[in-house]
Amino acid sequence: MTGVVQDWRIDLAEARPEFFAPRPDRPCVPECGPGWRGVIERCCIRIDAALQDGERFRFERMREVQGSLRISWGGRLSAATEAAVREAVDLTEARSQCVCELCGKDGRAYRCEGNVATRCTEHRRGTPVAVRAGFENLHLRQKLIARRARVVVASLYDPDRDRFVDLGCEPEAAR
């Protein structure tokens, strides 16, 4: 007799039903490998901490696309909470590009047969994706300024500290 193994994605969705509410056309569970479970759990903790009384948040879709986690979301949020949620999602997507999707160890992008996957050295297939020196972990992301205007800023993701370092090219109003 074999035991039933519960899928980690279902466990996560059941632990956070308010974030992973199923849709009529499909269940809302992460569509990625188990190595990103910790990355997604950290995102949920950050979002939970940002929510104020009466605010609602939910993931619309979460899936792997060319070696990176892509997250669509919605909710009824104040401007400040929306900025914090956007930051949490951006950090999650950036971190997924540094973590093996299969095992959770440090990883990088590899190209194999036209696809890109983030893998550790043990799980790699194909060739490393070439990145111009100085552009490793570079991300363009939206930031809220003056409580309502969004600007695009260039940031470097620091995987050791799990945070962004802005490159100083923000408009004056954002500083």
Side-chain angles (χ1 to χ4, degrees), residues 20 24 34 44 58 75 77 83 110 128 147 161:
F20 292 95
C44 291
R58 78 171 190 193
L77 308 170
Y110 289 89
R147 297 187 184 176
R161 295 188 178 141

Side-chain angles (χ1 to χ4, degrees), residues 19 46-53 55-57 77 81 85:
F19 288 179
R46 285 180 167 143
I47 291 169
D48 196 39
L51 292 175
Q52 303 298 313
D53 287 338
E55 293 182 322
R56 292 189 307 263
F57 169 87
L77 308 170
T81 302
V85 167

